Amino acid sequence: MARPKLKTVTTTLKMTPEVRDLWAQCAEKEYRTLTSMFEVMVREYAKALKVQATPAESPVTGARAKKMK
């Protein structure tokens, strides 16, 4: 699956220091940025669950988009 050429969504995550440390260690072992590592982990997990991205103009659609307005 081709990666999008532009990254246009900013997301803030809250996590425990332990999880943050594990994330950073995984990224370092693979010589990746934290962002790149996060994308790899999410894509691999989605693949394992057989979940595909929903094609849309906006990454937030439906009921979630209405709540955000």
Side-chain angles (χ1 to χ4, degrees), residues 1 38-54:
M1 174 182 248
F38 184 78
E39 289 181 6
V40 167
M41 292 186 306
V42 170
R43 290 179 191 280
E44 288 297 316
Y45 195 70
K47 185 177 176 182
L49 294 176
K50 298 181 178 157
V51 175
Q52 293 184 351
T54 305

Side-chain angles (χ1 to χ4, degrees), residues 4-62:
K5 293 185 183 216
L6 288 177
K7 296 177 183 170
T8 58
V9 178
T10 301
T11 303
T12 302
L13 300 170
K14 288 187 177 186
M15 63 189 74
T16 64
E18 177 188 18
V19 170
R20 172 61 167 75
D21 182 58
L22 290 169
W23 179 26
Q25 286 184 59
C26 290
E28 187 176 330
K29 284 205 179 264
E30 293 199 11
Y31 302 99
R32 296 180 179 275
T33 63
L34 288 173
T35 299
S36 174
M37 191 73 244
F38 184 78
E39 289 181 6
V40 167
M41 292 186 306
V42 170
R43 290 179 191 280
E44 288 297 316
Y45 195 70
K47 185 177 176 182
L49 294 176
K50 298 181 178 157
V51 175
Q52 293 184 351
T54 305
E57 299 262 336
S58 169
V60 179
T61 59

